[in-house]
């Protein structure tokens, strides 16, 4: 969650009360936020030592979707409404004598096609504290909702230094020339890319437009540059604390929804300073197709909620009027519906874009009532918590591996397609791995179908540690399954990797034997063994391992017990159709004719649950390993 720092004295002044740290912490909890730190003690200690320090601050954690609480003004206003010291404000658009216009040209369409604007006519210039809060809100919105200015960029200007109508266009960077913020010298847009390339703050945003053939720019009627979004504003239209009285806000975006949220946040949070409080002057935005609209879109959004749903979810028995009173404390305007005896008509203000569903309204009602005040009751049914068998088995295996001297690793469940297949010398059978439709990077393309890539990457990142290295993981893999409800299935596996100066095949084999010993699975020397239940290993050709140094692990289930489905890749038999199922059922009830038939019946229950061996040099090279390694990977669900 984002954390904001607000001036303690100013916040308490606005709340009309001095709180102790404990009292304010309780207030934050009741409102659904959290006091992270009160710096009063640190400030007093620094002042006692004669060190320069800022005024005491309160650092408060805010829910990620409550953009209206990211500044002192919005936080204080919401808390005052919550404490019923004032009514939720009504935000309105003024009717100016001459409305400012912004013409959006078609050239902006490929890069940043959306534009919104607002004008704040302040009753007085902002003081330094208010100005700092104004700039800080823009920075916080840029970092989270705007995604580092990629989706939305905000510009603020002294309206008295520019003249409308304004033009928003894209232009050749060599033809754009202006003095950027806090600089007196003029540069072309192309030169600014070099000027800010090493800038710690602005350098991170250059890649948004650097390679575009034309850069976005906003001009006034006299061809003076206001800003070059999303990089920098102009020095000419700079806002100055204690001087600027009329603020022109521009926002450009690639996302219309986020654009509306941002322009509403910037304008409403500081609308209390306007000549007529909470009144904002609109701007007429004219689009390339000739259509136009007024910005910002301050009209409240109408929705409804069920009083019975709210009461059922919270365990309360409140009337509709009482629920409306609670919602008013959360800055929502609610009235009982005239057409439905159960419904509430709710008006969502422009400051609450987090209200998306009826459950959000219910949550606000519960917060206003007080979570600690909600009635407690015994559930209508009694259940006894119990771990899933596969989880209990996994915990047992982890414990035994750790007691055997192996260290548990927990790598990510996502990996690249090559790591999962090509780097292990395994072909992709197709429709096997669960693939991400829009991977963030090449490193996170598929959900792993094997634990081995994660283990080898863990070894790679820790190969500077002393040898031998013995690591293991007991976790899930996912594989496509068209017959499953969600088109995929999880399988619990155990994987272990041993690295030393020698490969140590016997070490991996020893871990397998220990796990089977603890689980009470007897060892069968070979397939032809007469045992009706147990496990054995047999040599196999597997491209992941060295030729002649690989083996499959076979598991023979108990008679008349069907083992859990192994991972598709480890199934020893392809004959799983209806006829084979019927045949095996008949064999299980008919008397056996000879000892050889009994052996064949035993062999029919053998399944491959995994493999072990010495990893192939190409596999080691793919994962940048130079020491020999042996590995073990088995499915553990059949052992249930």
């Amino acid at each position: 969650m984002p954390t904001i720092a607000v001036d303690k004295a100013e916040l308490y002044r606005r709340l009309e009360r001095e709180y102790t740290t404990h009292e304010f912490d309780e207030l934050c909890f009741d409102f659904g936020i959290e006091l992270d730190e009160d710096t009063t003690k640190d400030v007093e200690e620094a002042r006692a030592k004669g060190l320069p320090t800022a005024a005491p601050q309160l650092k408060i954690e805010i829910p990620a979707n409550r953009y209206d609480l990211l500044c002192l003004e919005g936080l204080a206003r919401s808390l005052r409404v919550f404490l019923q010291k004032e009514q939720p404000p009504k935000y309105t658009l003024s009717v100016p004598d001459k409305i400012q216009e912004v013409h959006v040209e078609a050239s902006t369409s490929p890069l940043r096609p959306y534009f919104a604007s607002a004008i704040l006519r302040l009753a007085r210039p902002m003081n330094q504290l208010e100005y700092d809060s104004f700039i800080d809100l823009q920075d916080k919105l840029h970092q989270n909702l705007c995604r580092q200015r990629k989706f939305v960029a905000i510009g603020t200007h002294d309206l008295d230094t520019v003249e409308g109508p304004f033009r928003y266009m894209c232009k050749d960077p060599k033809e754009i020339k202006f003095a950027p913020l806090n600089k007196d010298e003029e540069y072309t847009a192309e030169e600014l890319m070099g000027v800010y390339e090493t800038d710690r703050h602005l350098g991170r945003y250059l890649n948004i437009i650097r390679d575009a053939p034309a850069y976005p720019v906003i001009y006034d009627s006299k061809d003076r540059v206001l800003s070059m979004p999303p990089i920098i504003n102009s020095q000419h239209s700079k806002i100055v604390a204690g001087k600027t009285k009329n603020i022109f806000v521009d926002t450009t975006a690639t996302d219309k929804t986020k654009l509306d949220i941002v322009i509403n946040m910037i304008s409403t949070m500081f609308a209390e300073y306007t000549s007529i409080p909470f009144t904002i002057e609109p701007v007429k935005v004219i689009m390339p197709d000739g259509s136009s609209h007024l910005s910002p879109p301050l009209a409240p959004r109408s929705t409804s909620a069920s009083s019975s749903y709210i009461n059922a979810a919270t365990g309360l028995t409140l009337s509709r009027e009482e629920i409306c009173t609670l919602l008013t404390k959360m800055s929502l305007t609610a009235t009982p519906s005239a057409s439905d005896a159960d419904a509430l008509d709710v008006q969502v203000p422009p400051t609450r874009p987090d209200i998306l569903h009826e459950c959000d309204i219910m949550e606000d009602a519960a917060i206003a009532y007080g979570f600690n005040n909600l009635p407690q009751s015994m559930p209508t049914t009694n259940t006894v918590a119990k771990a899933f068998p596969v989880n209990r088995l996994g915990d047992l295996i982890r414990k035994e591996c750790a007691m055997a001297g192996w260290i548990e690793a927990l790598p990510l469940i996502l990996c690249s397609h090559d790591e999962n297949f090509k780097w292990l010398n395994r072909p992709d059978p197709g429709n096997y791995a669960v693939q991400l439709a829009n991977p963030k990077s090449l490193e996170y393309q598929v959900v792993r179908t094997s634990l081995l890539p994660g283990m080898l990457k863990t070894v790679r990142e820790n190969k500077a540690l002393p040898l031998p290295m013995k690591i293991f993981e007991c976790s899930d893999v996912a594989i496509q399954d068209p017959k499953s409800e969600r088109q995929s299935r999880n399988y619990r596996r155990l994987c272990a990797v041993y690295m030393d100066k020698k490969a140590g095949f016997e070490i991996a084999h020893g871990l397998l034997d220990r796990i089977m010993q603890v689980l009470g699975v007897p060892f069968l020397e070979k397939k032809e063994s007469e045992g009706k239940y147990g496990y054995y290993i047999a040599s196999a050709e597997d491209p992941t391992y060295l030729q002649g140094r690989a083996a499959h692990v076979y598991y023979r289930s108990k008679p008349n017990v069907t083992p859990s489905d192994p991972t598709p890749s480890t199934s020893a038999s392809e004959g799983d159709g209806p006829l084979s199922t019927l045949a095996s059922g008949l064999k299980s009830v008919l008397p056996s004719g000879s000892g050889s038939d009994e052996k064949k019946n035993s062999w029919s229950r053998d399944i491959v649950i995994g493999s072990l061996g010495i990893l192939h040099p190409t596999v080691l090279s793919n994962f940048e390993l130079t020491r020999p390694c042996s590995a073990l990977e088995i499915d553990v669900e059949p052992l249930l």
Side-chain angles (χ1 to χ4, degrees), residues 250-295:
D250 75 71
T251 51
T252 61
T254 59
D255 186 291
K256 182 65 167 60
T257 301
K258 289 181 171 58
L259 175 75
D260 292 341
I261 294 174
V262 169
I263 191 62
N264 283 342
M265 287 301 114
I266 290 293
S267 54
T268 58
M269 290 301 99
F270 295 88
E272 64 185 67
Y273 301 132
T274 56
S275 301
I276 303 176
F278 306 113
T279 301
I280 299 159
E281 182 176 323
V283 175
K284 186 177 182 180
V285 180
I286 303 172
M287 301 304 292
D289 60 0
S291 62
S292 63
H293 61 273
L294 292 182
S295 177

Side-chain angles (χ1 to χ4, degrees), residues 508-516 535 537 553 612 632 634:
H509 192 183
L511 179 64
L512 171 67
D513 290 342
R514 175 56 183 166
I515 294 299
M516 294 300 187
Y535 77 100
I537 67 172
V553 181
L612 75 157
L632 162 71
I634 60 171

Side-chain angles (χ1 to χ4, degrees), residues 10 58 142 274 283 290 396 543:
E10 178 64 16
L58 297 172
H142 276 152
T274 56
V283 175
L396 175 62

